[in-house]
C-alpha cells in the first residue's frame, strides 16, 4: 500500500493510543505497528503506535483544521515528525485523550464534562475569576501543574493547594446556608449558638466550611468552652485541634505489621481500593521486606481482576483471582507463608451485595476488613457510605483522595473511633509514594490549615 503519512504516537494504553490515531488521522488510518516502550517496576511502559494514511485519501479542510488544532493543543509536531509525544501522554488517565477528541469535536466544556449538580452550584458560587476557567477552552496541559500534589506548597504563596482549595470553598460558600455572622437586625439571643463567644461561633463556621458536620463541629467546640477558651481565640483553637486529633485515632500501618495479616479493602466504587492495595503491597515489599500476596474477589467489574494481576506481576507478588468462596478459602490456604495478604473486593453500593460480599469475607478466619472511603466525595456521601458499610464490622478505615478534597474535614464522617481507627490515607495516584501512615496531627493541621 502506498502511504503518504506515517505517524507515531505514544500513550498509556492501547485504547488510548488507538483513540489518538483516530483523532489525529481519522478512521482510515492503518496501524502498522505497536510496541511497549519504557516503564519500570512501578510504572507501566507506554504503548507506541505507528499508523499510516493511504495516499489516495484526500483530507478535507475541516479535517486539516481540526487536526492542526489538536496538534497545537497538545504540542504534537507536524506529520513528518517521527514521534508526536506530549508529556501528558505519560499519565495514567483516559481523560487526557478525551481532550484529543474534543480538539476534533469542539463542544462547550460544560457539555463535555458531566458536572454534578453539587459541583455546578459550587462553581456558580465561585468568585468570577475562578468561575471563568470552566467556560474557557482548556489550555494545553502542563503535567507538572496538574499533577495531584495538593499537599505540596505553592512556591509563590507558600500555601498548599489544599489550603487554596479551602479558600476557594470559603469564598464559594459565603452565600450558602451556613451559620452566618450576626446580623445587626437580629437580637443576639436569637442567633444560633448565641451562648458561644463570637470567636467560637466563627470557628463553628470555619469547621463546617472545612467539611465537618454541624453536629460534630458543635460537639467538638462545646466541650472545649472554658473560661480560658472563652477569652482567647488562640487557646480555643489549640484545644479544638487537640479534640479533633483525639477523634482520629491511628493504628499501625499494615506495611509495618509484625504478625501475619490478612486484610480486605471494601468500600464504594472507585474510591481507590485496588490502587491502595498496590501501594500497601509495594511499601510492605520495599520498606519492610514482607512477603505479600494479592487476592481479588472482584470478578464483578470487567478488568478489575486484571488490574490487580498487573500490579502483582510488577511486584512479583503471587496473585489469585477468586470467583467464589471456595476459591477464596483455597487461595488463603496457599498464602500461609505470606506475611501480608491483601484482598481486593468489588466496589458495591447496594446493601444486599455488600452483605453477600461481607459474609464471604467474614467466614475467612483471621481476615480483617478495612473500609475505604474517598475524602473527595464530601461529608454526606462519606457519612452515607460509612453507615451503609457499618454491617461489614470493619477493623479500621482507610481514607483516599485527600488531594482531591475541597473539604477534608469530611473525614470525620467516616466514624473513625478507638475501635475502628484510621489505618492509613492516600493523597495521590502514584504507587507507592502517595500512601501515608495515619497521622492525626498532620490531618488536623491540614483541615485547620495550620
Ligand atoms: N487523586 C487521587 N486519585 C486516586 C487516589 N487513589 C486512587 N486514585 C484513583 O482513583 C481511580 C480509581 O481507583 P481504583 O483503585 O481503581 O478504585 P477502586 O475502588 O478499586 O474501584 P472499583 O474496583 O471500581 O470499585 C484511579 O484512577 C486511581 O488512580 C488518591 O489518593 N488520589
Ligand atoms: Mg478495584
Amino acid at each position: 500500500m502506498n502511504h503518504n503519512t506515517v505517524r507515531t504516537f505514544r500513550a498509556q494504553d492501547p485504547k488510548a493510543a488507538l483513540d489518538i490515531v483516530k483523532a489525529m488521522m481519522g478512521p482510515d488510518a492503518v496501524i502498522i505497528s505497536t510496541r511497549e516502550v519504557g516503564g519500570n517496576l512501578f510504572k507501566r511502559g507506554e504503548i507506541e503506535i505507528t499508523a499510516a494514511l493511504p495516499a489516495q485519501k484526500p483530507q478535507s479542510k475541516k479535517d486539516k483544521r481540526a487536526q492542526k488544532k489538536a496538534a497545537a493543543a497538545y504540542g504534537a509536531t507536524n506529520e513528518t515528525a517521527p514521534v508526536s509525544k506530549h508529556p501528558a501522554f505519560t499519565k495514567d488517565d483516559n481523560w487526557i485523550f478525551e481532550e484529543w477528541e474534543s480538539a476534533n469535536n469542539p463542544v462547550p466544556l460544560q457539555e463535555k464534562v458531566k458536572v454534578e449538580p453539587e459541583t455546578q452550584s459550587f462553581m456558580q458560587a465561585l468568585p468570577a475569576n475562578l468561575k471563568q476557567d470552566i467556560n474557557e477552552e482548556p489550555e494545553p496541559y502542563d503535567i507538572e501543574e496538574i499533577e495531584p500534589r495538593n499537599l505540596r506548597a505553592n512556591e509563590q504563596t507558600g500555601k498548599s493547594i489544599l489550603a487554596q482549595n479551602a479558600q476557594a470553598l470559603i469564598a464559594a460558600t459565603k452565600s450558602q446556608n451556613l451559620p452566618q455572622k450576626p446580623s445587626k437586625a437580629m437580637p443576639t439571643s436569637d442567633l444560633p449558638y448565641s451562648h458561644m463567644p463570637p470567636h467560637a461561633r466563627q470557628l463553628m463556621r470555619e469547621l463546617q466550611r472545612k467539611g465537618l458536620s454541624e453536629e460534630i463541629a458543635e460537639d467538638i467546640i462545646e466541650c472545649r468552652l472554658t473560661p480560658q477558651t472563652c477569652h482567647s481565640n488562640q487557646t480555643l483553637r489549640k484545644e479544638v485541634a487537640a479534640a479533633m486529633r483525639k477523634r482520629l485515632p491511628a493504628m499501625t500501618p499494615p506495611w509495618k505489621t509484625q504478625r501475619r495479616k490478612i486484610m480486605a479493602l471494601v468500600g464504594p466504587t472507585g474510591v481507590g481500593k485496588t490502587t491502595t492495595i498496590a501501594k500497601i503491597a509495594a511499601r510492605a515489599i520495599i520498606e519492610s521486606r514482607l512477603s505479600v500476596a494479592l487476592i481479588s474477589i472482584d470478578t464483578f467489574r470487567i478488568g478489575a481482576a486484571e488490574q490487580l494481576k498487573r500490579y502483582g506481576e510488577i511486584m512479583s507478588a503471587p496473585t489469585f483471582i477468586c470467583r467464589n468462596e471456595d476459591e477464596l478459602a483455597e487461595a488463603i490456604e496457599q498464602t500461609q507463608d505470606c506475611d501480608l495478604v491483601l484482598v481486593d473486593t468489588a466496589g458495591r453500593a447496594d446493601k444486599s451485595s455488600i452483605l453477600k460480599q461481607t459474609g464471604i469475607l467474614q467466614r475467612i478466619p483471621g481476615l480483617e476488613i478495612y473500609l475505604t472511603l474517598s475524602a473527595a466525595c464530601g461529608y454526606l456521601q462519606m457519612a452515607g457510605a460509612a453507615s451503609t458499610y457499618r454491617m461489614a464490622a470493619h477493623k479500621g478505615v482507610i481514607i483516599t483522595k485527600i488531594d482531591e478534597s475541597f473539604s477534608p474535614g469530611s473525614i470525620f464522617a467516616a466514624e473513625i473511633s478507638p475501635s475502628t481507627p484510621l489505618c492509613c490515607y492516600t493523597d495521590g495516584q502514584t504507587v507507592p509514594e502517595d500512601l501515608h501512615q495515619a497521622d492525626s496531627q498532620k490531618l488536623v493541621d491540614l483541615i485547620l490549615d495550620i
Side-chain angles (χ1 to χ4, degrees):
M1 198 185 295
N2 181 21
H3 299 114
N4 70 350
T5 307
V6 177
R7 302 183 67 186
T8 305
F9 305 95
R10 283 186 192 170
Q12 187 62 37
D13 57 52
K15 182 186 173 304
L18 283 171
D19 286 349
I20 294 169
V21 170
K22 207 175 94 195
M24 292 296 290
M25 302 180 76
D28 293 330
V30 176
I31 306 303
I32 294 177
S33 72
T34 58
R35 66 184 182 116
E36 193 168 325
V37 290
N40 56 35
L41 188 59
F42 293 111
K43 188 172 154 274
R44 262 186 293 170
E46 292 171 289
I47 301 299
E48 189 177 283
I49 190 163
T50 302
L53 264 185
Q56 63 272 25
K57 167 78 180 162
Q59 242 187 336
S60 75
K61 272 190 184 162
K62 189 174 160 237
D63 285 350
K64 274 187 186 160
R65 271 201 310 276
Q67 287 177 13
K68 216 170 147 192
K69 199 173 162 199
Y74 292 95
T77 43
N78 67 24
E79 287 163 4
T80 53
V83 174
S84 301
K85 181 174 178 291
H86 184 273
F89 297 158
T90 62
K91 285 306 277 185
D92 206 11
D93 297 309
N94 282 339
W95 60 264
I96 288 165
F97 305 107
E98 283 164 17
E99 298 297 335
W100 283 87
E101 295 278 2
S102 75
N104 274 344
N105 307 298
V107 286
L109 198 62
Q110 293 94 327
E111 282 174 36
K112 191 174 57 178
V113 180
K114 207 176 133 235
V115 183
E116 300 292 334
E118 219 178 357
T119 315
Q120 225 160 17
S121 62
F122 168 72
M123 293 305 292
Q124 274 159 10
L126 278 178
N129 60 334
L130 290 173
K131 206 175 351 188
Q132 253 177 4
D133 294 346
I134 198 167
N135 294 319
E136 282 172 359
E137 274 297 304
E139 288 290 311
Y141 286 110
D142 174 341
I143 204 70
E144 277 305 315
E145 267 176 41
I146 60 166
E147 212 177 4
R149 284 289 189 284
N150 289 4
L151 309 184
R152 184 200 291 159
N154 176 306
E155 276 161 24
Q156 277 152 25
T157 63
K159 288 223 165 213
S160 70
I161 298 175
L162 192 72
Q164 292 165 39
N165 285 349
Q167 269 179 353
L169 187 75
I170 288 166
T173 51
K174 267 192 176 148
S175 58
Q176 291 180 6
N177 201 18
L178 292 172
Q180 295 300 311
K181 279 189 180 162
S183 121
K184 281 188 186 137
M186 210 187 270
T188 322
S189 57
D190 290 350
L191 288 171
Y193 310 109
S194 56
H195 63 289
M196 290 184 182
H199 62 275
R201 285 203 297 270
Q202 163 94 19
L203 191 54
M204 270 289 292
R205 287 194 291 272
E206 187 183 327
L207 292 186
Q208 284 178 258
R209 284 177 191 133
K210 299 282 173 64
L212 275 81
S213 71
E214 184 176 356
E215 293 73 33
I216 294 180
E218 184 183 6
D219 194 26
I220 290 174
I221 293 178
E222 284 271 7
C223 300
R224 303 284 149 168
L225 289 178
T226 62
Q228 287 78 22
T229 58
C230 280
H231 282 103
S232 161
N233 183 26
Q234 219 181 357
T235 315
L236 177 65
R237 289 184 78 87
K238 260 193 200 161
E239 291 282 319
V240 164
M244 287 168 73
R245 286 197 292 273
K246 243 182 155 174
R247 285 177 176 242
L248 295 175
M251 64 189 292
T252 308
W255 58 94
K256 290 186 181 166
T257 185
Q258 300 286 330
R259 53 174 180 85
R260 172 173 156 82
K261 191 175 175 84
I262 310 171
M263 62 186 289
L265 269 59
V266 301
T269 55
V271 291
K273 297 179 293 297
T274 310
T275 316
T276 305
I277 282 185
K279 289 171 182 167
I280 295 174
R283 292 286 286 272
I285 293 168
I286 297 167
E287 254 181 60
S288 313
R289 309 264 164 215
L290 299 182
S291 55
V292 177
L294 308 178
I295 296 177
S296 174
I297 61 166
D298 184 2
T299 48
F300 177 75
R301 184 169 66 77
I302 294 169
E306 282 66 30
Q307 188 187 357
L308 194 75
K309 216 170 163 186
R310 178 82 180 125
Y311 280 123
E313 280 165 14
I314 293 168
M315 292 181 259
S316 303
T319 308
F320 303 82
I321 313 297
C322 305
R323 280 163 305 203
N324 55 46
E325 200 166 343
D326 291 343
E327 286 187 8
L328 175 62
E330 171 69 27
I332 297 283
E333 186 61 35
Q334 287 188 39
T335 61
Q336 285 301 329
D337 295 338
C338 293
D339 304 312
L340 181 62
V341 180
L342 295 156
V343 182
D344 192 17
T345 65
R348 304 310 294 264
D350 62 298
K351 284 199 174 178
S352 68
S353 307
I354 296 170
L355 204 62
K356 194 171 159 209
Q357 187 166 254
T358 302
I360 293 172
L361 295 170
Q362 284 173 339
R363 285 191 281 278
I364 300 293
L367 183 145
E368 297 169 356
I369 295 178
Y370 288 82
L371 176 58
T372 313
L373 295 172
S374 159
C377 67
Y379 186 88
L380 285 180
Q381 296 272 357
M382 193 177 268
S387 139
T388 309
Y389 273 90
R390 208 173 292 145
M391 64 176 95
H394 46 278
K395 188 167 166 68
V397 176
I398 294 173
I399 300 288
T400 61
K401 308 197 184 185
I402 293 263
D403 56 312
E404 284 187 2
S405 176
F406 282 101
S407 49
S410 60
I411 63 176
F412 282 92
E415 300 183 2
I416 294 161
S417 70
S419 56
T420 50
L422 187 58
C423 172
C424 51
Y425 69 93
T426 73
D427 59 4
Q429 293 174 291
T430 313
V431 179
E433 288 91 336
D434 294 334
L435 169 73
H436 308 279
Q437 173 164 344
D439 183 335
S440 55
Q441 169 105 36
K442 248 188 197 162
L443 288 168
V444 170
D445 286 359
L446 265 173
I447 296 165
L448 292 178
D449 201 14
I450 293 173

